[in-house]
Amino acid sequence: MNVNRKVLTLDEFTIQQVRQIPNATGELSTLLRDIGLASKRINVEVNKAGLVDILGDAGSINVQGEDVKKLDIYANDQFTGVLQHGISCAGIASEELDDYIAFDDTESKNSKYVCLFDPLDGSGNIDVNVSIGTIFGVYRRVTPLGTIASKEDFLQKGTQQVAAGYIIYGSSTMLVYATRRGVNGFTLDPSIGEFTLSNANIKCPPSGKIYSVNHGNFFQYNEGVKSYIDICQRKNKNTGGPYTQRYIGSMVADVHRNLVKGGIFMYPGTIDKPKGKLRLLYECNPFAFIIEVAGGKATDGHQRILDIQPTELHQRTPMFIGSKDMMGELEKEMGNS
Ligand code: AHM
Ligand code: MG
């Protein structure tokens, strides 16, 4: 092993980034460090998920006599806890909470960021040992420093994100985050418990060979979506088709793969659910921000995701996201429908 090779940890990297920005206070790097800490704790529990039946079901008492919490609740508590006790976050909103929480202590009221997250996305996959993830978006609050955060801090357009990211608990655990300066990926080195820079300056290839959609809903999609799926399946030298269909059912894993390899991920509206399933604020906006910084695109089929003005914390939106050229092909079909 070459001990002289410098491997940057998440903390070192974010501090290095901050140093390049004049007048930066370092609050964002503290916030990202807190997020890294929460995700390491979640990772430990996710890795033990297969032992739940041995050590005690969620909702029961385990062999140590402790309450066993459902993993998504555990993840939510970890995120809420580190952000509340950290020094950079004025409040949070989460998929697991009906309403936002504004932290009422002096330190938090003087913090300039709010964080929105889905603590454990794809949690239906835990039982079967499939990758799951955490998604987060960070905004600068719009209410004055020193006051308690309010709803308008959370209902901002995705364009206002300062940073966004995700953690994927997969064959290895990765934290990927974007600021306007770029997208960078860090792999958890379990031997030292640190996220280390593994995928610097990630760019989404302009085109790819993968399309990801729930085919079971095909007959519920509008004509534009059906027609695009048809294109994906046909031999076509202009598009490079037929493409390969890959759908894990964990958006974090599906979009991560397509971000790195090139591809398109779709969760369209259906006849039964015209707004689809995914949540704008803490599922779609963070990914839309990341993909745009990486050179890709994200829309609801008509409008850029990041331009949607939110009206509710838990609102849903159809979502199409991926490589720029593939999104262009999709838009042509959607425009024709
Ligand atoms: P969740 O927030 O309840 O976990 O649901 C979100 C997940 C996404 O990760 C995934 O892309 C989607 O649900 C899969 O839904 P479906 O099974 O309807 O295709
Ligand atoms: Mg979710």
Side-chain angles (χ1 to χ4, degrees):
M1 187 174 127
N2 179 358
V3 287
N4 292 320
R5 188 169 157 256
K6 178 69 186 145
V7 180
L8 277 184
T9 66
L10 174 65
D11 292 355
E12 287 171 329
F13 179 85
T14 52
I15 291 165
Q16 205 178 71
Q17 295 280 303
V18 165
R19 281 196 187 141
Q20 294 168 23
I21 307 168
N23 307 325
T25 58
E27 245 184 272
L28 184 61
S29 26
T30 317
L31 185 71
L32 290 165
R33 191 179 59 208
D34 291 343
I35 288 172
L37 173 63
S39 58
K40 282 192 261 185
R41 291 191 180 142
I42 296 165
N43 182 57
V44 169
E45 294 306 308
V46 167
N47 283 335
K48 286 196 294 198
L51 297 170
V52 163
D53 284 343
I54 303 168
L55 301 178
D57 282 327
S60 70
I61 309 285
N62 72 12
V63 287
Q64 282 93 31
E66 302 154 339
D67 285 337
V68 180
K69 283 188 188 164
K70 282 183 73 177
L71 266 181
D72 28 21
I73 304 298
Y74 176 84
N76 185 61
D77 291 351
Q78 286 305 322
F79 256 75
T80 309
V82 291
L83 294 173
Q84 179 160 20
H85 299 120
I87 53 167
S88 317
C89 187
I92 54 114
S94 159
E95 178 167 349
E96 293 296 331
L97 301 169
D98 289 341
D99 207 353
Y100 68 91
I101 299 179
F103 303 137
D104 200 6
D105 57 288
T106 311
E107 196 86 65
S108 302
K109 285 195 284 192
N110 282 308
S111 298
K112 60 179 175 202
Y113 297 114
V114 294
C115 185
L116 291 85
F117 52 85
D118 180 353
L120 215 52
D121 185 62
S123 52
N125 280 324
I126 296 170
D127 292 354
V128 285
N129 210 356
V130 169
S131 300
I132 48 179
T134 298
I135 311 166
F136 62 91
V138 179
Y139 294 77
R140 191 168 284 121
R141 58 188 294 190
V142 290
T143 49
L145 280 183
T147 63
I148 190 151
S150 74
K151 197 160 188 175
E152 57 194 296
D153 294 318
F154 298 92
L155 294 183
Q156 298 189 55
K157 287 185 185 176
T159 45
Q160 298 307 108
Q161 284 170 108
V162 174
Y166 58 88
I167 297 100
I168 175 164
Y169 310 99
S171 45
S172 59
T173 298
M174 266 189 93
L175 185 153
V176 176
Y177 85 89
T179 62
R180 274 167 226 287
R181 303 166 74 86
V183 185
N184 290 282
F186 302 80
T187 301
L188 183 65
D189 179 344
S191 61
I192 53 168
E194 290 279 5
F195 283 106
T196 51
L197 183 63
S198 53
N199 300 56
N201 199 16
I202 298 173
K203 295 284 177 209
C204 181
S207 200
K209 290 219 161 262
I210 298 169
Y211 75 105
S212 311
V213 68
N214 186 337
H215 262 283
N217 292 334
F218 183 84
F219 291 107
Q220 294 250 339
Y221 297 147
N222 70 32
E223 291 310 314
V225 176
K226 285 191 211 163
S227 156
Y228 178 68
I229 293 175
D230 191 70
I231 288 177
C232 292
Q233 295 174 331
R234 286 187 194 279
K235 199 168 172 63
N236 181 331
K237 63 176 177 353
N238 292 328
T239 64
Y243 299 149
T244 295
Q245 144 75 358
R246 292 279 181 269
Y247 190 72
I248 294 172
S250 261
M251 180 171 56
V252 177
D254 276 316
V255 180
H256 173 72
R257 181 201 51 239
N258 295 0
L259 168 70
V260 173
K261 291 192 164 184
I264 189 166
F265 170 91
M266 304 178 266
Y267 204 108
T270 59
I271 294 167
D272 294 343
K273 294 179 181 158
K275 295 221 163 269
K277 174 181 184 187
L278 302 176
R279 315 289 186 140
L280 173 64
L281 288 182
Y282 40 77
E283 292 179 329
C284 300
N285 269 341
F287 275 117
F289 182 84
I290 295 163
I291 204 94
E292 286 201 8
V293 174
K297 285 185 87 173
T299 73
D300 67 357
H302 304 284
Q303 188 185 6
R304 190 179 169 215
I305 290 283
L306 296 179
D307 280 337
I308 300 173
Q309 175 61 57
T311 52
E312 292 166 43
L313 282 179
H314 298 291
Q315 80 190 60
R316 297 175 199 266
T317 176
M319 163 94 145
F320 302 86
I321 180 167
S323 293
K324 195 161 68 48
D325 296 349
M326 297 173 90
M327 287 293 293
E329 288 158 19
L330 169 82
E331 277 159 23
K332 268 193 258 159
E333 296 312 306
M334 297 294 276
N336 293 339
S337 69

